[in-house]
Amino acid sequence: MLSNFKDYLSGLLLDAVNQLGTINADVNIEIARTKQAEHGDYSCNLAMQLAKAMRKNPREIATLLVEAMPSSPYVQKIEIAGAGFINFFIKNSAKQACLSVVLQQGMAYGVSDFGENKNIQVEFVSANPTGPLHVGHGRGAAFGASLANVLSMAGFSVEREYYVNDAGRQMDILAVSTWLRYLALNNIQVPFPENAYQGEYVKVMARLIHEAHVDRYVHQPEQLFDGLTDPLAKSINTDEELDQLIANAKLILGQDYAYIHNFVLTEQLGDCRNDLMEFGVTFDTWFSEQSLFDNGLVAHAMQLLEEKQCLYRQDGAVWFRSTDFGDEKDRVVQRENGQYTYFASDIAYHLNKFERDFETVINIWGADHHGYIPRVKAALQALELNPEKLKIALVQFAVLYRDGKKASMSTRSGEFVTLRELREEVGNDAARFFYVMRKSDQHLDFDLDLAKSRSNENPVYYVQYAHARICSVLKQWDDDVAKLMNADVSLLTHVSELTIMQRLIDFPDTIVVAAQEFSPHLIAFYLRELASEFHSYYNSTHFLVSDIPLMEARLMLIAAVQFVLKNGLKLLGVSAPEKM
RNA sequence: GUGCCCGUAGCUCAAUUGGAUAGAGCACCAGCCUUCUAAGCUGGGGGUUACAGGUUCGAUCCCUGUCGGGCACGCCA
């Protein structure tokens, strides 16, 4: 059978255009699926596009095109309708032929070579390892993982990467927060800063250190409050005070600071990795920000910018001339105190990404980072790298609703809902599916009660249920799908059957579009529609009938549906249960 | 204040990127289990696509303006 009707039909039309000759217009032949059955299976608006250039009525052009088109064994008829649409009706036999293809290819059905095996990197989640992942990260995780799967199936060679922010101030705050909690366990009471990490997990880490090393890391904290404006203050709550506290802690702890720092990093990163793994989200590379400093890549990137005269000094800091490349203001890369900014390491990181020979680099960011895009692209331009190779997919916030009201979240206060809690509450399947049900640039209202409900309100179960039903029917028959390979598919002529077959044919194309548009939500919608058409078919038609050829044909159809459902769910990281 | 995103059925969202009569789910109403899983199916009502202009064969989509909502505007990450 044909692997791609759209390409095939546009080929026919291209022949027709060439036949007619002397059309000096940009021909962009686009074949679209129709929405209504009266319009056939596929339609093309080429005649309308050509109307102006050819100075003719679109319907007239359409007629010429159709007449010039070579005849096809797959096309039942061609109609000209409306303003000049060319509508194609595909023969039943051509649709029926898809079933053996699906069964033959099995879980490989839907794989295409659209991506031409090009290297593509998807960097996602990349949350600071300073605490548990929350529901906001969950959306990035689900979206990124699904997108990576979709890209892979569409023929790209995909690398999944997590950028670990293990070098910054936030890590220091976490280390000190943990140490202060640890001191408290050793009965040394010091005020706990308001802007330190308040979460319970910090106390848990302190307890682990305490259990393993008892008072090994207790250092008398007399100098802890040196340099603070009010040493007797019961509370510390400005950034300056916290930074001073960190500096003091580093001094007091000496060599031991590295242990604390490393311990909390390892602990949090491990927790994060496990959390994601349980969520079905895995990475090929965990890229350390610290390694950029250790390997001199940050200094190297700065040197390159310096050579290209894109840096200057002002007020003791080093600035990058991002305004030269379209940014609204110049940005500091090295602070007055000699510390590089996060932006500096990010420039080095992106330089490194580009040196790793990817055709395309995709960053998945929270939508609150949109203002950050121009400066990163500016840096790429300054380094004479093609900013077009970097694609940024922004993911809007997920707002959690429980009992109709918002669940708040704030990392510092420790009041957020963690991804782990969410997964425990609604299950991995529902969480993965709900996260990608919406277009990524759309705010997501995550209704916990709906995700939990085991009823018709829940789209996850709807799709899974279709799969389980098919498994059940096949089990009651023989369960050997291989025996169906030669079923007489010409017996499947009912509208509901042809509709399902057309849907199956759409699957590979849906994946390509989802890959092109970075829109895994299309897969979720596709699955709901396929499931819906199946449920409807199930209720109207009995499969295990005494007419053996008819039974086998119908079973072949639902077996094909089973494969595609399973395959689509797998793309989204959702399980396909055999019974429910 | 400036920039980016968004505004579609009572609610949550689609709409093949400019196509034909704007579609689903939930909620609501009325039906369907002695037969392969009722976590299902069938039917019904529900819309000036925020508003006003513009561009063209054709606009939810592109342009301008207004109103409303979100986010970002650090020598934070």
Side-chain angles (χ1 to χ4, degrees), chain A residues 285-484:
Chain A
T285 313
W286 295 73
F287 193 99
S288 155
E289 180 189 8
Q290 185 62 48
S291 75
L292 292 169
F293 291 100
D294 297 345
N295 299 330
L297 296 180
V298 177
H300 174 64
M302 292 307 113
Q303 193 191 331
L304 285 179
L305 289 176
E306 181 82 72
E307 285 166 11
K308 295 180 192 302
Q309 315 206 323
C310 296
L311 299 181
Y312 64 92
R313 272 152 199 82
Q314 187 181 306
D315 304 330
V318 181
W319 298 70
F320 166 57
R321 299 182 192 279
S322 49
T323 44
D324 287 358
F325 305 95
D327 197 10
E328 58 189 24
K329 55 178 285 192
D330 291 340
R331 309 291 174 177
V332 171
V333 287
Q334 192 173 18
R335 282 172 233 156
E336 200 175 353
N337 64 11
Q339 291 257 308
Y340 285 112
T341 60
Y342 177 86
F343 181 43
S345 50
D346 237 14
I347 293 172
Y349 179 44
H350 283 85
L351 175 60
N352 176 274
K353 282 188 182 196
F354 272 58
E355 284 171 350
R356 277 188 276 165
D357 201 31
F358 295 111
E359 195 85 16
T360 306
V361 170
I362 301 174
N363 289 359
I364 295 172
W365 286 350
D368 54 336
H369 281 67
H370 67 82
Y372 200 68
I373 298 171
R375 78 188 72 167
V376 173
K377 297 239 177 190
L380 291 174
Q381 275 180 273
L383 294 167
E384 291 171 44
L385 300 168
N386 179 9
E388 295 299 308
K389 272 174 65 173
L390 173 66
K391 309 279 186 197
I392 314 259
L394 294 177
V395 177
Q396 290 284 352
F397 292 128
V399 182
L400 220 52
Y401 285 84
R402 191 197 304 272
D403 302 326
K405 71 177 172 78
K406 269 187 193 177
S408 71
M409 45 181 178
S410 152
T411 312
R412 287 284 176 78
S413 68
E415 279 173 9
F416 54 83
V417 178
T418 65
L419 175 60
R420 191 170 267 120
E421 285 164 355
L422 175 76
R423 295 194 294 105
E424 279 163 9
E425 189 164 345
V426 308
N428 285 321
D429 285 344
R432 285 292 298 262
F433 198 90
F434 267 66
Y435 271 133
V436 296
M437 257 186 350
R438 305 280 173 255
K439 228 166 25 182
S440 59
D441 61 2
Q442 197 69 246
H443 282 100
L444 171 69
D445 285 351
F446 198 118
D447 186 335
L448 283 170
D449 305 305
L450 177 59
K452 271 191 296 186
S453 75
R454 299 181 173 259
S455 72
N456 55 349
E457 297 167 27
N458 196 325
V460 192
Y461 293 114
Y462 186 79
V463 176
Q464 290 181 320
Y465 186 50
H467 183 269
R469 269 182 152 176
I470 295 171
C471 290
S472 172
V473 173
L474 291 175
K475 200 159 283 177
Q476 284 167 68
W477 163 67
D478 186 317
D479 213 13
D480 186 3
V481 171
K483 288 181 186 169
L484 299 171

Side-chain angles (χ1 to χ4, degrees), chain A residues 61-100:
Chain A
I61 297 168
T63 310
L64 290 173
L65 286 168
V66 171
E67 280 167 0
M69 237 165 41
S71 70
S72 162
Y74 304 115
V75 177
Q76 179 73 40
K77 62 172 172 176
I78 303 172
E79 279 181 2
I80 296 161
F85 292 98
I86 301 172
N87 292 335
F88 297 92
F89 293 74
I90 303 299
K91 278 187 183 169
N92 288 353
S93 59
K95 294 183 185 177
Q96 289 152 349
C98 82
L99 296 184
S100 64

Side-chain angles (χ1 to χ4, degrees), chain A residues 211-229:
Chain A
E211 281 164 12
H213 303 285
V214 198
D215 59 357
R216 164 75 178 75
Y217 295 99
V218 171
H219 295 249
Q220 291 309 314
E222 288 87 28
Q223 306 123 316
L224 194 51
F225 297 96
D226 283 3
L228 290 171
T229 46

